[in-house]
């Protein structure tokens, strides 16, 4: 048994076969030129390696930044703890001065208000520090404000300490 194809069908099949062979040949040639020495693949690999090196450098820098930030937050926490301890000592000193009648009731109340104000602001600074620790991204403006606030609190605590020493020296 022989199969007969119409003449138009054989031509169409032949054209289709030639077209498919041409596509396969084009894909082969494109692949060959991509992978050939000095071809596009080497350029793509070089670009990818360059991007990787840049990303690794950025990652190292980010890790260093995080470590410095955590160190600053811990340093601020120590400063706040020191302030709290000093305020507790000043409170006890003020109480002893009142009991020893080295300070008048009105002056005691004034100094106690100052001490309580510093203590309240120190608690606020501690909350700011805890928020900074939990923040996903640093806020340089908030960090600078927190630093200025801590310096102000330390100065006010020192001024209060000077006033208390003057009272107990009498």
């Amino acid at each position: 048994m022989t199969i007969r194809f119409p003449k138009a069908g054989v031509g169409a099949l032949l054209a289709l076969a030639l077209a498919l062979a041409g596509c396969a040949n084009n894909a082969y040639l494109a692949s060959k030129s991509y992978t050939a020495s000095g071809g596009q693949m080497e350029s793509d690999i070089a670009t990818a390696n360059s991007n990787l090196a840049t990303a690794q450098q950025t990652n190292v820098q980010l890790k260093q930044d995080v470590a410095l930030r955590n160190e600053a937050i811990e340093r601020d926490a120590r400063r706040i703890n020191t302030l709290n301890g000093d305020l507790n000592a000043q409170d006890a000193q003020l109480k002893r001065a009142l009991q020893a009648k080295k300070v008048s009731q009105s002056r005691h109340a004034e100094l106690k208000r100052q001490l309580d104000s510093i203590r309240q602001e120190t608690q606020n600074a501690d909350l700011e520090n805890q928020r900074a620790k939990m923040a996903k991204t640093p806020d340089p403006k908030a960090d600078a404000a927190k630093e200025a606030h801590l310096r102000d609190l330390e100065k006010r605590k020192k001024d209060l300490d000077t006033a208390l020493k003057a009272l107990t020296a009498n």
Side-chain angles (χ1 to χ4, degrees):
M1 169 153 102
T2 334
I3 299 177
R4 295 187 181 231
F5 293 104
K7 288 185 181 181
V10 171
L13 284 175
L14 186 58
L16 180 62
L18 288 174
L20 288 175
C23 288
N25 193 32
N26 286 342
Y28 170 76
L29 290 175
S31 176
K32 184 177 177 183
S33 70
Y34 182 76
T35 58
S37 178
Q40 184 63 37
M41 184 171 83
E42 285 183 11
S43 174
D44 289 349
I45 289 172
T47 300
N49 285 335
S50 175
N51 291 343
L52 176 62
T54 301
Q56 287 172 334
Q57 288 173 344
T58 301
N59 190 33
V60 167
Q61 184 61 49
L62 288 172
K63 284 182 181 182
Q64 289 172 346
D65 291 348
V66 166
L68 289 174
R69 181 165 166 65
N70 287 340
E71 186 179 302
I73 288 170
E74 290 304 315
R75 183 182 57 247
D76 288 346
R78 287 189 300 274
R79 288 170 69 188
I80 290 167
N81 287 336
T82 299
L83 269 170
N84 282 326
D86 291 348
L87 291 172
N88 289 338
Q90 287 177 338
D91 198 15
Q93 185 180 8
L94 185 59
K95 187 175 183 177
R96 284 191 305 273
L98 181 64
Q99 290 170 345
K101 304 211 187 283
K102 291 185 177 184
V103 64
S104 69
Q105 191 72 25
S106 62
R107 180 72 172 140
H108 174 271
E110 177 188 338
L111 293 173
K112 180 75 170 150
R113 274 192 302 277
Q114 288 177 14
L115 192 140
D116 289 342
S117 172
I118 295 169
R119 181 175 283 137
Q120 178 63 43
E121 289 184 46
T122 300
Q123 289 173 350
N124 291 341
D126 188 36
L127 290 174
E128 291 170 20
N129 200 44
Q130 290 176 17
R131 273 193 293 271
K133 190 174 191 175
M134 294 170 52
K136 290 183 179 182
T137 57
D139 184 354
K141 288 182 182 179
D143 291 344
K146 180 179 64 170
E147 177 62 30
H149 191 212
L150 282 173
R151 278 195 310 272
D152 178 58
L153 289 172
E154 289 167 337
K155 181 189 177 305
R156 289 174 52 201
K157 190 252 340 157
K158 184 179 178 185
D159 293 344
L160 184 61
D161 196 42
T162 303
L164 286 171
K165 285 182 181 174
L167 288 175
T168 57
N170 294 335

